[in-house]
Amino acid sequence: MEENKINAEELEEAKEELAENDAAEENSEDIDNEADEPSLDEDDAASEYNDTASQFEELEEKLNEANDKYLRLFAEFDNFRKRTAKEKTETYQNASVQCIEKLLTVIDSFERSLEADCTDENFKNGMQLIWGQLQNFLTQMNVTEVEALGAEFDPNVHNAIQQQEDTDYASNHVCAVFQKGYMLGDKLIRPAMVAVAV
């Protein structure tokens, strides 16, 4: 009877061991199956990576577009700045030319009056002082007289109204000046009115 009890206990223990072994095998099979098939977490991570990559490409394209627009805008602004500065300089120069051009008739008349005979020395000295002030003003404005008498005729700065023969000057050179010419910097205000030797 005791033998039967021991055998029954052993039998129960053996059954329990078998059951534990079966459970362990099922668990190992489940783990193997999970390793073979991707888990839901891995799929989510892959799709999230793809979404992030596409967002990165989108942002990179937008950055390139913004950079291109910035460079174009910068170039346009730089051109505008240069054009505005040039127009400002030209506007100032044109206004100066117009002002001095109107003043030249007064200067011509003043110069002719200095050549007239005058017996009053004080008056003549006063006129000379005013003439000096006018000359200083022209110098400060960068106005220069066109080189004329004795210079080779240049149609860009000389206006020939007469030809003269048998002069002391070489052919095609200015032999007489009827009206002085003036320049503002490198811009001609008025050409010199001259006679040319032939």
Side-chain angles (χ1 to χ4, degrees):
M1 196 82 181
E2 280 184 18
E3 283 181 12
N4 284 341
K5 267 189 185 181
I6 291 172
N7 286 337
E9 286 177 7
E10 287 178 0
L11 187 62
E12 283 295 319
E13 285 177 10
K15 280 182 185 178
E16 285 177 9
E17 280 181 24
L18 277 175
E20 285 177 10
N21 287 339
D22 286 344
E25 282 179 16
E26 282 178 11
N27 283 341
S28 69
E29 282 177 11
D30 288 345
I31 290 171
D32 288 343
N33 288 340
E34 284 177 6
D36 290 343
E37 295 176 8
S39 69
L40 290 176
D41 291 341
E42 288 177 1
D43 287 344
D44 288 346
S47 75
E48 192 175 316
Y49 174 79
N50 290 338
D51 289 347
T52 306
S54 66
Q55 285 176 352
F56 177 76
E57 287 173 8
E58 242 177 74
L59 289 173
E60 196 170 26
E61 281 178 23
K62 286 181 181 177
L63 178 65
N64 288 338
E65 283 176 22
N67 193 32
D68 185 53
K69 284 180 183 176
Y70 167 75
L71 289 174
R72 289 175 189 271
L73 185 64
F74 181 78
E76 284 178 19
F77 177 73
D78 193 44
N79 289 339
F80 169 75
R81 185 180 53 78
K82 288 176 184 173
R83 187 172 58 248
T84 305
K86 184 180 177 186
E87 286 173 0
K88 184 178 176 184
T89 303
E90 286 176 355
T91 302
Y92 174 76
Q93 192 174 28
N94 290 338
S96 298
V97 165
Q98 288 177 1
C99 178
I100 292 166
E101 190 174 16
K102 290 181 179 172
L103 187 63
L104 288 181
T105 54
V106 176
I107 290 171
D108 291 339
S109 299
F110 201 95
E111 194 171 12
R112 280 193 294 275
S113 69
L114 286 175
E115 294 169 3
D117 290 334
C118 180
T119 54
D120 189 348
E121 285 299 318
N122 290 331
F123 178 76
K124 193 164 187 174
N125 289 338
M127 293 290 279
Q128 288 289 349
L129 286 173
I130 296 169
W131 177 247
Q133 289 175 337
L134 276 172
Q135 292 298 312
N136 286 338
F137 167 74
L138 292 177
T139 303
Q140 288 171 0
M141 292 297 293
N142 197 24
V143 176
T144 54
E145 192 178 318
V146 172
E147 186 184 355
L149 191 63
E152 188 175 356
F153 176 72
D154 181 358
N156 295 316
V157 293
H158 299 136
N159 179 19
I161 60 169
Q162 201 178 74
Q163 290 183 332
Q164 291 182 0
E165 295 178 358
D166 301 326
T167 64
D168 296 334
Y169 296 94
S171 177
N172 202 35
H173 281 67
V174 175
C175 60
V177 178
F178 302 110
Q179 187 181 55
K180 291 180 179 179
Y182 291 92
M183 296 185 75
L184 176 62
D186 57 352
K187 189 166 186 166
L188 183 68
I189 300 173
R190 181 179 78 184
M193 200 178 294
V194 298
V196 181
V198 290

